Amino acid sequence: MLLALAVVVTAVIVGVAAYYIFGQAPKPQANLLEIYHWWTSGGEKAAIDALVAVFQKKYPDVGVIQSPVAGGAGYVFKSVMKSMVAAGEAPDAFQVHAGYEMKPYVDAGFLEPIDDLWRQEGWESVFPPVVRDMVSWGGHYYAVPVNIHRANVLWYNKKILDQYGIDPSTLETWDGFFAACEKLRAAGIQYPIAMGGIGKWEIAHVIEQIFVSQGVDFYQDLVNGKLNDPNDPRLVNAFNIMKKYMNYVNPDYASLTWDQAVAKVIRGEAAFTIMGDWANGEFYVAGKQFGVDYGAMPSPGTKGIYVLVVDCFEKPKGAKHPENSIKWLRVVGSREGQDAFNPIKGSISARLDADVTKYGPYQRAAIQDFKTAKYMVPSIVHGSGAPEKFASAFNDIASKFAADRDVAAACKAIIDAINAAKSDYTKTWHLTG
Ligand code: GAL
């Protein structure tokens, strides 16, 4: 007892002395990494967990806190993160799209340039130029890409198509696609297309792919803020296609998330959904087999075009655990990290040296398509192609259009949105080669 008492008394004396010497009781510094993202659907969660597992294997002494903010495409996350960063509460890393979405952070000086890290890791020789361009501003690198998603994908329930004798090659044009929708409707599938809309972006996502189908020169004018005629036949045509498309969409779209729409195709309640290839992650976690239960192809009119969606992480200034932030970025950009994350996520590795044997059949085909793509174009809806001001107006225009189907009003609203964001168009995309 005496010994125990002596230990306690000594501890108190040391503690009090430390308090007076250092001005406060010494606090153990927790060795943590806190990351923010919006990956909460079944496939998304499985993928980020696999990436975190690679990190934890490498750095077992670092505790990882994942702080996900639910809402596809970051429609809730984006404003949450903006306020946190502006308030000086940036985490150690957060999800951001390559391109325009990074710009407000870079402009405000909230991110650290990470050129040294890029050099140390030799990333210049493994990431393709199109991706490198999207993460560098003023000649400095500010982010590390973790993947390349494709936005322009039509997903289909293969069993339904087989049952009704629909050959996927007939879906390459909008006319062929709508003929298939009509056939399915006649056979009793009233709403063959599944779509979400709870965050509005799910609708804009479809319209974006329709825009791309109107030609890369048209899309280039759009992302460069060069469209100025509301009667531009390509613009009018695009909204007329969307009007037709809406005829076949589940009427409860406005209350559904993107993954609930994919689930309709998985369950065979709908035959089609147009969504980025993160949808593959949902088929994957549902245990469905590509080529047997489901299939995928470029959305109508976009063969040979790869609409790019690139997720990244970065090193925010003032991160609480700057060394762990860098460790995380090393894993994010590594071959091992990317080859753990992307086979589940549905995307392909952003690196050109991916181990293809780790990927399933959809992604092997995507890797091939990426290599042979005639055009690569940046998604607007997923942060890269156009200023944020336009992208957010586009979501509103899309959701209004889905409800009122007023083509002339939507065309005018697009031109107005471009004009309103005019001074924010600081990038000139050269997409037509
Ligand atoms: C995209 C993001 C993808 C995917 C999707 C749905 O914006 O780049 O990684 O998760 O949203 O949440």
Side-chain angles (χ1 to χ4, degrees):
M1 258 200 54
L2 268 182
L3 184 68
L5 189 67
V7 171
V8 172
V9 170
T10 315
V12 170
I13 292 170
V14 170
V16 171
Y19 183 86
Y20 282 105
I21 295 167
F22 302 113
Q24 57 180 33
K27 251 197 251 152
Q29 197 54 49
N31 191 10
L32 297 174
L33 168 79
E34 189 175 15
I35 53 167
Y36 270 70
H37 55 76
W38 63 79
W39 290 321
T40 56
S41 78
E44 290 176 326
K45 183 173 179 330
I48 183 63
D49 285 350
L51 183 58
V52 167
V54 174
F55 179 88
Q56 285 185 316
K57 205 173 83 201
K58 262 205 156 83
Y59 305 107
D61 53 324
V62 181
V64 180
I65 304 174
Q66 289 192 52
S67 300
V69 179
Y75 84 93
V76 182
F77 173 97
K78 286 182 195 170
S79 50
V80 171
M81 189 46 55
K82 267 208 184 127
S83 345
M84 281 180 64
V85 173
E89 288 299 326
D92 299 317
F94 61 91
Q95 183 185 353
V96 73
H97 286 125
Y100 273 108
E101 195 175 300
M102 298 172 57
K103 194 169 182 292
Y105 292 111
V106 175
D107 287 352
F110 288 143
L111 304 183
E112 288 199 7
I114 47 172
D115 301 322
D116 288 348
L117 182 64
W118 269 74
R119 203 168 314 115
Q120 287 160 17
E121 297 292 323
W123 284 334
E124 289 218 315
S125 56
V126 291
F127 291 125
V130 59
V131 172
R132 295 204 309 260
D133 283 355
M134 287 203 258
V135 294
S136 54
W137 300 88
H140 297 287
Y141 290 111
Y142 284 94
V144 184
V146 67
N147 61 4
I148 299 175
H149 270 303
R150 186 178 199 176
N152 56 319
V153 187
L154 171 68
W155 301 90
Y156 55 83
N157 180 308
K158 185 161 185 304
K159 295 202 164 139
I160 296 183
L161 264 50
D162 290 348
Q163 185 182 346
Y164 296 103
I166 294 168
D167 176 352
S169 71
T170 63
L171 309 173
E172 286 180 8
T173 63
W174 287 113
D175 284 348
F177 176 73
F178 289 129
C181 289
E182 221 18 74
K183 189 170 189 184
L184 292 171
R185 175 165 280 178
I189 304 177
Q190 183 69 1
Y191 299 109
I193 305 174
M195 189 176 82
I198 198 162
K200 299 180 180 175
W201 69 270
E202 303 88 341
I203 308 160
H205 183 104
V206 174
I207 299 176
E208 174 179 287
Q209 311 326 312
I210 298 175
F211 282 163
V212 174
S213 77
Q214 299 306 297
V216 173
D217 46 353
F218 169 70
Y219 194 76
Q220 177 172 281
D221 286 348
L222 176 68
V223 288
N224 286 338
K226 291 273 180 309
L227 288 186
N228 47 31
D229 178 7
N231 298 314
D232 186 317
R234 302 164 301 177
L235 186 60
V236 176
N237 199 30
F239 277 106
N240 275 320
I241 291 172
M242 186 59 181
K243 189 171 176 175
K244 235 179 178 172
Y245 190 91
M246 287 306 300
N247 280 334
Y248 301 103
V249 164
N250 48 295
D252 61 346
Y253 69 90
S255 63
L256 296 192
T257 60
W258 69 270
D259 47 313
Q260 286 171 326
V262 175
K264 277 181 180 288
V265 178
I266 293 176
R267 291 195 300 264
E269 289 166 25
F272 305 118
T273 192
I274 289 180
M275 189 36 67
D277 56 11
W278 43 90
N280 198 57
E282 301 308 302
F283 288 101
Y284 173 84
V285 293
K288 297 297 176 190
Q289 270 191 33
F290 185 76
V292 177
D293 301 305
Y294 71 104
M297 57 188 288
S299 49
T302 68
K303 201 174 171 181
I305 306 175
Y306 217 97
V307 182
L308 303 165
V309 179
V310 180
D311 294 303
C312 305
F313 287 93
E314 65 312 273
K315 181 170 184 251
K317 263 187 199 152
K320 296 198 180 49
H321 311 93
E323 279 154 27
N324 292 340
S325 174
I326 289 290
K327 285 179 185 158
W328 172 248
L329 296 183
R330 284 191 207 282
V331 170
V332 163
S334 69
R335 187 172 187 243
E336 192 191 350
Q338 304 224 346
D339 286 347
F341 176 76
N342 290 304
I344 306 174
K345 189 69 170 57
S347 33
I348 60 174
S349 173
R351 298 177 59 118
L352 297 166
D353 62 352
D355 177 356
V356 182
T357 63
K358 297 220 158 81
Y359 292 78
Y362 165 72
Q363 283 137 308
R364 288 192 194 185
I367 291 169
Q368 233 4 71
D369 279 4
F370 181 78
K371 279 193 194 142
T372 55
K374 194 153 179 228
Y375 301 108
M376 297 204 184
V377 311
S379 166
I380 297 169
V381 175
H382 302 280
S384 300
E388 274 205 307
K389 198 168 177 187
F390 176 80
S392 100
F394 183 26
N395 286 342
D396 291 335
I397 295 167
S399 87
K400 185 169 175 293
F401 181 76
D404 68 17
R405 321 231 174 134
D406 183 337
V407 173
C411 293
K412 183 178 177 302
I414 290 285
I415 302 302
D416 289 349
I418 291 174
N419 290 334
K422 234 0 179 262
S423 57
D424 293 357
Y425 287 87
T426 50
K427 236 178 150 78
T428 304
W429 298 97
H430 302 282
L431 307 177
T432 50

